[in-house]
Amino acid sequence: MSNHHDLLIRGGTVVDGTKAPRFDADLAIDNGRIAAIGDLAGATAKRVIDARGRIVAPGFIDSHTHDDQALLSQPALPFKVSQGVTTVVAGNCGISAAPLRADMELPMPLALIDAPKHARHATFGSYLDALRAQPASVNVAAMVGHSTLRALVMADLDRPANDAEIAAMRAHVDEAMRSGAIGLSTGTFYPPAAHATTEEIIEVGRPLSARKALYVTHMRDEADRVIEALEETFRIGRALDVPVVVSHHKVQNAPNHGRSGETLALIQRQMQQQCIGLDCYPYTAGSTMIRTDRGMLDARILIASSEPHPEMAGRDLKDIAAQWGVSGTEAAQRLQPGSAIYFTMDETDVRRILAFEQTMIGSDGIPLGDKPHPRLWGTFPRVLGHYCRELALFPLETAVWKMTGLTARTFGLHQRGALQVGHHADVVIFDAATVRDTADYAQPMRPAQGIESVIVNGALTWHDGAHTGARAGQVITRGEARRA
Ligand code: ZN
Ligand code: CU
């Protein structure tokens, strides 16, 4: 082994992503891989980073994103890289960038992450090829979305799919799997898939079984009927014999506050029968398309974007309604289509779910407009600063594991998520004493503090508070993810 490396990170404290206790070591990188970890006193390198007093960890893996189009249209992804994120899981909540036809009109919420029509991809394979041809600054593992497939093959979304439509969707899932998708996501909470039956999802998902690809879901209900929704998710996983992931687990609306005790106990119990994962974002507000259903208009609502009224972004629905002299429902209808921030959760539930051993960290950020939910820029530093350091919800080793090793294992991301010799060199260097989110609801696009350097496949991508311009992200496919 040569002693002259591409990159050498000197004197840091390694938190390796496995939950093992931290240790002091140097880390060397060659050809995009981790070449050595230990006392490398005699080594030299083309570039040396002094990491004394800093934590050296695997680059964070964002387990839940809607970056499908941003990877192509804003490939520097500063809102990810500035947080220490080096890999994103895309295609969540039933929504994927492909397959789509150029002539389709997309319903909400699919339209939230749509591309210009000429830039749409008719197959999942062609979407992944585009990502390879024009790499982004982070790695991506992508899923195909059931709502996207419904919009593609069904003329009318307000009913269950018939046998021919199920067969057509299944063929698209098969194509996506062959091309390297890591799973199928659903969003039965949303209108385009609300009428899909459990059986429809199982039959569409058949191609997952042979590959043990993931079934990932924004469940039908995260409020009064959350237990039934969990049972449905588990049933689909058992029928297909594949791992399931419960996306952005939460219990919404005041009458359900406190019920995370019940949901986590059920998840814990069922984990003994089948493979289950879950993720969570560290905020008591969610963000989604502007809705007018009962229950969702009770709590505080902040408008994030509105097509007919872009000037209302960043304002409370209540104030807009007062200004217009109309009801909240009427104001919400006038603001559609658009997205909003809903303060529907309780802090006690958020903490309990975050602290649950098997919960991964995912942002669920929507890279749209200039008043996004602050989770887009703040999720990972908020967990490290607020929940880990300030509230001591868990040790730093556990926080890092929830963002790296656990996530890589859950999604089958081979040779990522842990600092080990031979692994892909995705690395973040941060200051555990100062790392914190600065994005809030008023100023949601402020980058985190304390994230000092971010390395993606060996390429220095964020350094000294600035993006280097590197775009070394790779497409992680199911084939590669399968262990030898
Ligand atoms: Zn969702
Ligand atoms: Cu989502």
Side-chain angles (χ1 to χ4, degrees), residues 13-24 37 55-58 357 395-402 404-406 409 417-420:
T13 298
V14 173
V15 172
D16 71 2
T18 68
K19 261 196 302 189
R22 66 193 79 180
F23 57 96
D24 290 343
I37 302 172
I55 300 294
V56 180
E357 190 68 10
L396 183 62
E397 285 82 350
T398 301
V400 168
W401 178 69
K402 284 171 170 288
T404 59
L406 173 63
R409 188 184 75 194
L419 294 182
Q420 286 169 20

Side-chain angles (χ1 to χ4, degrees), residues 64 66 92-93 189-190 217-218 222 247-248 250 287-288 364:
H64 189 108
H66 294 285
N92 280 285
C93 299
F189 168 74
Y190 292 109
T217 182
H218 179 158
E222 295 174 307
S247 291
H248 43 59
K250 61 172 93 69
S287 175
T288 188
D364 200 11

Side-chain angles (χ1 to χ4, degrees), residues 308-319:
H309 295 283
E311 75 281 5
M312 294 303 181
R315 293 189 54 192
D316 270 70
L317 180 67
K318 186 166 53 62
D319 299 338

